[in-house]
Structures are given as structure tokens and as C-alpha cells.
Amino acid sequence: MKVLVLGSGAREHALVTGLAADPGVDALYAAPGNPGMAQECEVRSVAMTDPEAVVALARELAVDLVVIGPEAPLVAGVGNALREAGVAVFGPDAAAAELEGSKAFAKEIMEAAGVPTSQSVTATSLAECEEAFDRFGAPHVVKADGLAAGKGVVVTSDRDEALAHARACLAEADRVVIEDFLDGPEVSLFVLCDGTTTVPLAPAQDFKRALNGDEGPNTGGMGAYTPLPWAPEGLVEDVIAQVAQPVVDEMARRGTPFVGLLYCGLALTKNGIEVIEFNARFGDPETQAVLQRLTSPLGTVLHAAATGELAQLPPLEWADKSAVTVVMAAENYPADPATGDVITGIEQANALEDVHVFHAGTSTAEDGELTTSGGRVLSVTALGADLADARARAYEAVGLIRWRGEHHRTDIAQLAEENRITIPQGGSR
């Protein structure tokens, strides 16, 4: 099987690593890729949101499967164009990708499918935002309606900050979503979909805030871990029954079948499972941790989803280990990340047992040195016998990597390791 991965981040690097380990994948390409992916597969240049350009590249390479990593190509209709060209693609059409592309649309689908989620108001003016703030109270949850690369959400008890974000969202679009705050720990569950059938991956938890203790500004994600030793028994089955399958059924009923990865962002509240958000693709940085534990052949799994054959897929197999991912970020991330700083120590980190360093914001300078070129620069992922072991390995690797102004959280998976995560009374079922 020949496979093309679209994207240039750590999520796509993790997909490339997983696909490269599949003996059924005999040719692997990434576009536009990054220096880390270039060490594992052939990298090509492409404008990811140009459907015609992606189709042309897929035809040139004669690939059997295209895996779309980021959200922007999905909403741009790249999946549509590939399917029309007869190329199997892991990723939804533009209409189905609106589950991520529009928070308001996602709420509409959830209501129609009877999926538990927070109360919300789709506001078109600041006055409506203020009314919603009064109705729901603090903390205030303000979400940009469109794509925002994981940073369009503000959760704050500061009304002025919430109003400022709402004002900024309304300046970019004609509506903004205000939600009631959901208590309880968050869970990310990735669900493979082929338009009809759903197959869950292992649940994970990520860390959105920039600083330890979930302080500081919201980011695209500063780390993740899996599995969740504190998760209630039957959680995954409950999410499939209450959330994923009803959504896939509703999308099919509307004539817009969802094919690809449904990312269910959940809160385990006193009222049970409630959906925070959906994404229409693998999450970053959870993917880096989740895929390191998957031992089933990734190419076979993704191709089955792309071709409507998930029902025939054998049960997924997982390593009996924990995985922890720590994101190393550039100076001033997430506000105005510095770039061009020389990175050292990656080879030494990768040489550690059960450690893999995934590239995101990296570039190769003219002199051949590896430099920073984005906000989230690297995702350092380690496997271990348990969370404590995986954390120790990940942070040992992080300690070997250097560049000017680098920063990272030091508490990824710490509360879980110390058994200090609790679910509000009432559980998740």
C-alpha cells in the first residue's frame, strides 16, 4: 500500500511513524512534511488547502490512501476532491468536517442526535453575549465559531476578558458560541468512522494551558497521556453509545456521512458524560501518545475506515504500557513565538529507550542546522511500564534538548500518576 500523509506537525509525524512501522505500507510520503518526517519517508511540497494540487500529487505518486492530518484541508474540501478522483481518503468531506468547522453546527447535530452537551447560546451581538454570561454565570466559556487551531476558546471568570474575546470573535465572524461551564476532568476519545461503523481508540487527556497547574493562556496543547487509570469502567463503551454512534448516525441520515476520525472532547461531570467539542481529525498532542501504544497495523486500520470496512477489522491491539507526551514550545508561545533558534540534543533524546521525538515547528537552516520555526516545536513522547515510568522517560529526554527560550510544562500526567483526579459525584454513566 502507498500512503500520503498531509500535514507538517507533530501529529502528522506520529502518523508517519505509525505508518512506517506497518509492514503493509511499502511506500510512504508526507506533504509538506517537516525535517523529522523527512528522516522516515519521502517529503513532497504541496499547498494543503488546494484540492486540485493535492489530487495531482496523489495521482503522481499513485497512492492507495491519503491521510489528512490538519483541519484546514478538510474544511477546504480536499477530501471531496480526492474521493471524486477515486482516491481512498481518511478524512471527512467538507460538509461533515463542519462538525469542527462550526461550533454552532456541532451543537445543532448534538441536539438532533440527543447527545449530552453543555447548554449554549449562539450569539450575534455583544448584548446577547452579556445576556448569556448572566444566564450561565462564571466561569465564562467563549468559543469562536470557526476554525481556530485549538486556540479559539477562552474559559475565564474575568467577565471583561470573556467579553473581549467575544468581541474579537464577532469581528472575525457573524456569531460566537457562549457555553455553560462543564465541571469535571476532561477526556479525549478518538473514534474511527467509516460513515456507518465506529471503532474507538484508547482515551487520553491533554493539557491546554501554557503553564503548570493549568495556568496561563490557552494553547494548542502542551502535553498528553494515555491510558487513563482513573477513568470509570465502561467509559469508552458509554461514549460510543451516547455520543459517537448517534452523531455518525445523524450525519448519515442527513446525507453527509462522516468518514475519518471523530475527536470527542468530553467532560466527566456530575451529570455524566458531556461533550465539550468535536474535531474532525486526530488531536494534537494526544495522537503522539495514543499511536505509540497502538500495535495493530496503522495503514490497514486507516484504510478500512476510508473504504467502509471497519466492521470487518479485527479488534485493535494495544501495548500494555503508558505513554506520556511533553510539548516543548518556543519563546513567547502562544502569543508571538520566536523562530530561528538552533535546536540541539534531539539525537541523544531519540536514542533513549522507548522515546520518540516528533517534530512540529522545525526547519533546516541553510547551514544544515535544525532551527525553530513555530510555536509548538517538538512533542517528546515516551512509553513506560506505568505513568510514573513514562513521565520519567519523557522528562529525561526533554532535559537533553535545548534551544534559546524553550519552555514546557513539568506537570504533564502528574495528578494522574499521583491518583489525584476525581470525578464529581454522580460518575460518568
Side-chain angles (χ1 to χ4, degrees):
M1 178 173 18
K2 296 181 178 179
V3 183
L4 168 63
V5 176
L6 284 188
S8 61
R11 163 185 51 217
E12 290 79 32
H13 190 178
L15 285 163
V16 162
T17 299
L19 289 163
D22 183 346
V25 175
D26 47 26
L28 182 58
Y29 309 91
N34 64 37
M37 287 188 244
Q39 297 176 15
E40 300 186 50
C41 71
E42 184 177 335
V43 170
R44 293 296 192 96
S45 177
V46 76
M48 283 191 298
T49 56
D50 182 341
E52 291 183 3
V54 174
V55 168
L57 179 61
R59 283 176 167 162
E60 176 193 340
L61 299 174
V63 295
D64 303 294
L65 175 67
V66 176
V67 179
I68 301 177
E71 57 270 32
L74 296 170
V75 175
V78 170
N80 303 56
L82 287 164
R83 287 189 177 91
E84 289 167 9
V87 180
V89 54
F90 183 83
D93 287 350
E98 281 297 289
L99 276 174
E100 175 168 5
S102 169
K103 299 292 188 293
F105 175 73
K107 286 290 188 181
E108 176 192 324
I109 291 293
M110 283 187 272
E111 182 177 359
V115 170
T117 186
S118 60
Q119 296 182 65
S120 68
V121 170
T122 301
T124 57
S125 69
L126 285 178
E128 290 179 348
C129 292
E130 297 226 56
E131 289 174 7
F133 294 158
D134 291 338
R135 174 181 166 190
F136 297 140
H140 308 296
V141 182
V142 184
K143 295 185 176 182
D145 185 52
L147 297 180
K151 289 174 281 187
V153 180
V154 163
V155 181
T156 179
S157 294
D158 184 329
R159 190 182 179 100
D160 290 340
E161 182 185 358
L163 199 59
H165 185 61
R167 184 181 293 108
C169 290
L170 287 171
E172 295 290 329
D174 60 359
R175 58 188 182 180
V176 60
V177 176
I178 313 296
E179 292 185 354
D180 194 10
F181 177 75
L182 295 177
D183 60 344
E186 295 185 11
V187 173
S188 300
L189 184 68
F190 300 162
V191 182
L192 302 165
C193 309
D194 66 4
T196 304
T197 302
T198 55
V199 174
L201 301 186
Q205 186 178 61
D206 76 332
F207 297 78
K208 287 286 191 282
R209 299 286 186 169
L211 307 177
N212 283 0
D214 291 327
E215 300 289 338
N218 214 38
T219 73
M222 294 298 292
Y225 68 95
T226 182
L228 310 181
W230 49 267
E233 186 178 350
L235 172 65
V236 171
E237 292 81 0
D238 287 349
V239 175
I240 292 296
Q242 297 177 32
V243 178
Q245 195 64 54
V247 165
V248 168
D249 292 345
E250 175 64 17
M251 295 298 285
R253 188 187 69 78
R254 293 178 178 225
T256 53
F258 190 96
V259 177
L261 197 290
L262 181 64
Y263 170 125
C264 302
L266 312 158
L268 305 191
T269 77
K270 61 181 179 294
N271 298 320
I273 297 165
E274 296 196 56
V275 175
I276 300 170
E277 64 175 351
F278 289 128
N279 291 330
R281 39 71 193 179
F282 280 102
D284 185 337
E286 300 99 316
T287 300
Q288 292 88 293
V290 170
L291 291 187
Q292 283 293 283
R293 292 187 56 238
L294 181 68
T295 57
S296 296
L298 183 60
T300 300
V301 169
L302 300 185
H303 191 267
T307 55
E309 297 178 350
L310 278 180
Q312 286 75 50
L313 193 70
L316 299 182
E317 296 181 359
W318 300 89
D320 187 21
K321 292 184 175 183
S322 294
V324 171
T325 294
V326 179
V327 170
M328 303 181 71
E331 185 178 28
N332 295 329
Y333 176 77
D336 185 21
T339 59
D341 293 301
V342 175
I343 306 168
T344 62
I346 291 180
E347 287 187 7
Q348 292 92 325
N350 268 328
L352 296 176
E353 184 179 1
D354 282 337
V355 168
H356 203 109
V357 181
F358 298 110
H359 291 233
T362 67
S363 295
T364 305
E366 289 185 5
D367 61 4
E369 288 192 299
L370 190 71
T371 62
T372 63
S373 63
R376 293 188 294 171
V377 179
L378 300 170
S379 285
V380 179
T381 302
L383 288 170
D386 53 23
L387 282 180
D389 186 30
R391 288 190 75 238
R393 291 171 186 268
Y395 280 111
E396 180 186 1
V398 166
L400 297 173
I401 302 170
R402 297 275 192 277
W403 70 84
R404 185 189 65 83
E406 181 275 329
H407 66 97
H408 60 272
R409 286 182 56 160
T410 60
D411 63 347
I412 303 302
Q414 183 175 351
L415 292 180
E417 177 195 336
E418 297 172 355
N419 195 29
R420 290 200 288 140
I421 295 180
T422 57
I423 298 170
Q425 190 171 2
S428 73
R429 304 191 69 177

